[in-house]
Amino acid sequence: MNTIILANYRVNKDTMALLSVAHPDYHTIAIETDRKLYIRKTPFQLIKAACLKGGSTYEGRRAAVTYLTGAKHKVPIPINPFEQIYAFPTSSPTQFECCWIFHNHVETISRYQQNKTLITFKNEQQLKLPVSYYKLEKQMYRTAQCIIRFTHFSNEKPFCMPRNIPELIHY
């Protein structure tokens, strides 16, 4: 099999997971709804770039989620709230083993073996991760909270000045 390795990758609505791998030629396997891609950049580099393309920095998105939800560790990230692209890390984003799962594609999570979890995506693909069921369940919950907060926040009407500002009359 000839593996095509990409120098870069753009996170999109079809991205289901970014897996961190130890390979001399690539650092990420991007799992999409209908294909796997091999990328030279790390998952964290791809997440940071996707945040910028979505209108903010990773640090800005992270700070907003912390402010709105109180989450401080393994914070889910609204990569592009307008396109409903939200992802969560499976461990600390600075750790090599951290993978990113895209919430809207997850159908179910279930216990697989001790400290392992099976993710079933909506397209029936499955992914086994060496992460406890409890941790992934908590991340799914945190991401759902994040989605609710950002959806509510983005649906608020922005403050606008009235068109006709009355003149002050001085007596």
Side-chain angles (χ1 to χ4, degrees):
M1 178 180 112
N2 255 349
T3 302
I4 297 172
I5 300 168
L6 305 173
N8 205 352
Y9 173 77
R10 186 174 187 151
V11 168
N12 60 73
K13 285 188 160 241
D14 291 332
T15 308
M16 299 192 311
L18 297 176
L19 309 178
S20 180
V21 291
H23 191 279
D25 298 325
Y26 55 89
H27 300 289
T28 302
I29 298 175
I31 300 176
E32 290 189 348
T33 54
D34 60 351
R35 63 185 179 164
K36 282 185 186 178
L37 301 162
Y38 303 85
I39 302 107
R40 292 189 197 283
K41 292 186 177 181
T42 67
F44 197 31
Q45 289 172 319
L46 297 173
I47 292 291
K48 284 183 168 188
C51 287
L52 285 172
K53 288 177 180 128
S56 183
T57 63
Y58 168 83
E59 293 76 15
R61 294 272 191 228
R62 189 181 190 288
V65 172
T66 297
Y67 176 78
L68 293 170
T69 68
K72 293 179 181 166
H73 304 286
K74 294 186 275 185
V75 176
I77 300 296
I79 291 172
N80 190 327
F82 299 108
E83 290 187 23
Q84 295 295 307
I85 300 175
Y86 293 82
F88 63 85
T90 58
S91 61
S92 171
T94 58
Q95 298 296 310
F96 166 79
E97 65 274 2
C98 180
C99 298
W100 290 82
I101 306 299
F102 291 73
H103 186 274
N104 60 316
H105 289 286
V106 177
E107 181 69 32
T108 61
I109 57 170
S110 53
R111 288 177 179 86
Y112 174 62
Q113 292 175 344
Q114 188 171 350
N115 291 325
K116 290 185 181 176
T117 304
L118 178 69
I119 297 174
T120 303
F121 294 103
K122 290 178 181 173
N123 67 356
E124 298 182 4
Q125 284 189 59
Q126 294 185 321
L127 177 64
K128 296 170 189 164
L129 290 175
V131 180
S132 78
Y133 170 80
Y134 170 76
K135 285 180 182 176
L136 281 187
E137 185 179 60
K138 187 173 180 177
Q139 287 301 88
M140 286 289 291
Y141 174 76
R142 281 181 171 173
T143 309
Q145 265 191 314
C146 176
I147 292 168
I148 290 167
R149 301 282 184 184
F150 270 78
T151 301
H152 172 74
F153 183 71
S154 66
N155 287 338
E156 288 181 0
K157 301 224 183 310
F159 174 75
C160 296
M161 292 294 290
R163 285 182 170 222
N164 299 322
I165 301 174
E167 286 185 41
L168 291 176
I169 301 172
H170 299 284
Y171 293 98

